[in-house]
Amino acid sequence: MEDFKSRNKGRLNERIAAVICGLLLLVVILITSTQALCYWIPDWWRNEYAKYNTPQYVTGEMSLDDAVYITEQMLEYCIGRIDTLDDTEATIDGVKAPFFTEREKLHLADCRNIFLGAVQFRIISVMVIVGLLLAIWFSVKNRCDASRVKVEYARVLAGGYLTALAILVVFALFLIIVGMNNFTFLFTKFHHVFFDNDLWILDPRHDNLVNVMQEAVFRDAAVTIGGMWAAVSAVLAVISASILRKTAAVSR
């Protein structure tokens, strides 16, 4: 009886650990998708600015090239490749001058902390995932016959991933529904969650950053990031479902 209870407790712990692995993996995919959009997709920002004719919204006359340049500099700053935006200049109304206001630079410093924090969280998540994978392996090995260890291990991980994905899909669907009905509300709540000040509230009369980074661009970015996340997650879901199907008979 004690052995039976111990085995059941082991299975439960394995499933919980596998779900945690799945959740962390899905967050890692999300962070990586965000980084991919910001840095790895050629001309994504240029195409967006051309699509919405972004320069026309800037206070003063500004070229598309300058709009792309200040965005690239901002992204380089947020990932820590440059240490300041003081020297980032753009030509507006024929005058070349520093682009970012003090308020914008303070807000972007907050953005930098969040982005670098996300990168660090991804590293920690990968380390935790590796640790949990090892713990699950030894737990399965301890309670199963040698001939069934690999199959049971694969089933535990596949089931945990699908459970984690189901949890996040429900949450994502909620966000999609809210965003489709009122993206401004979702956009505002996002900033309230991640920022502890009001520096993100910029005045388009004085802060051209908000004129360049329009809400429509953020909306397209969210859709693109979500699409990449969904594509990778779906592939892993198909693999996980296939594992459960193929190993169903062996696990009995």
Side-chain angles (χ1 to χ4, degrees):
M1 180 62 73
E2 285 298 323
D3 185 57
F4 177 77
K5 289 182 178 180
S6 177
R7 286 175 181 271
N8 279 343
K9 184 177 180 180
R11 289 190 183 96
L12 178 60
N13 290 337
E14 290 161 11
R15 290 170 183 172
I16 292 172
V19 172
I20 294 173
C21 277
L23 289 171
L24 290 176
L25 176 60
L26 290 165
V27 172
V28 166
I29 295 170
L30 179 61
I31 294 171
T32 305
S33 297
T34 302
Q35 187 173 3
L37 177 131
C38 291
Y39 300 97
W40 303 339
I41 301 178
D43 292 330
W44 191 89
W45 296 98
R46 179 177 293 275
N47 292 335
E48 281 293 297
Y49 292 164
K51 173 182 176 181
Y52 293 109
N53 194 14
T54 292
Q56 74 171 334
Y57 296 101
V58 173
T59 302
E61 187 176 342
M62 181 183 186
S63 70
L64 176 61
D65 285 341
D66 270 358
V68 173
Y69 170 72
I70 65 101
T71 302
E72 290 174 344
Q73 288 295 103
M74 176 184 67
L75 292 172
E76 291 293 289
Y77 172 75
C78 284
I79 204 170
R81 291 175 183 159
I82 59 176
D83 295 325
T84 180
L85 292 170
D86 291 344
D87 301 325
T88 300
E89 297 181 331
T91 301
I92 299 178
D93 287 337
V95 178
K96 189 171 185 178
F99 178 82
F100 296 103
T101 64
E102 287 304 314
R103 185 178 181 88
E104 289 171 337
K105 285 186 285 187
L106 289 172
H107 171 56
L108 289 172
D110 289 338
C111 294
R112 175 187 172 106
N113 290 334
I114 291 173
F115 202 99
L116 292 178
V119 172
Q120 291 176 348
F121 181 79
R122 179 174 58 187
I123 294 172
I124 294 171
S125 294
V126 171
M127 294 172 63
V128 172
I129 288 171
V130 172
L132 289 174
L133 289 177
L134 289 173
I136 294 169
W137 170 260
F138 286 114
S139 177
V140 171
K141 189 176 181 180
N142 185 56
R143 69 175 176 81
C144 289
D145 296 334
S147 60
R148 296 180 58 245
V149 171
K150 291 183 179 179
V151 170
E152 185 65 14
Y153 183 64
R155 285 185 60 80
V156 169
L157 295 182
Y161 173 78
L162 291 176
T163 301
L165 181 60
I167 293 170
L168 285 190
V169 164
V170 170
F171 181 65
L173 287 175
F174 170 75
L175 294 181
I176 290 171
I177 293 171
V178 173
M180 289 177 64
N181 286 279
N182 192 342
F183 183 80
T184 300
F185 170 80
L186 191 62
F187 180 80
T188 302
K189 286 297 181 184
F190 169 85
H191 283 81
H192 284 161
V193 169
F194 287 98
F195 298 97
D196 59 1
N197 54 55
D198 64 354
L199 292 172
W200 61 275
I201 302 176
L202 302 173
D203 187 340
R205 296 172 299 177
H206 311 294
D207 305 306
N208 263 323
L209 176 61
V210 72
N211 296 324
V212 173
M213 303 296 290
Q214 303 166 63
E215 187 176 295
V217 175
F218 276 106
R219 183 173 59 245
D220 286 359
V223 170
T224 303
I225 292 169
M228 288 189 286
W229 179 84
V232 176
S233 301
V235 170
L236 294 177
V238 170
I239 294 172
S240 297
S242 177
I243 289 172
L244 291 179
R245 185 178 65 255
K246 290 179 179 178
T247 60
V250 180
S251 66
R252 293 193 185 103

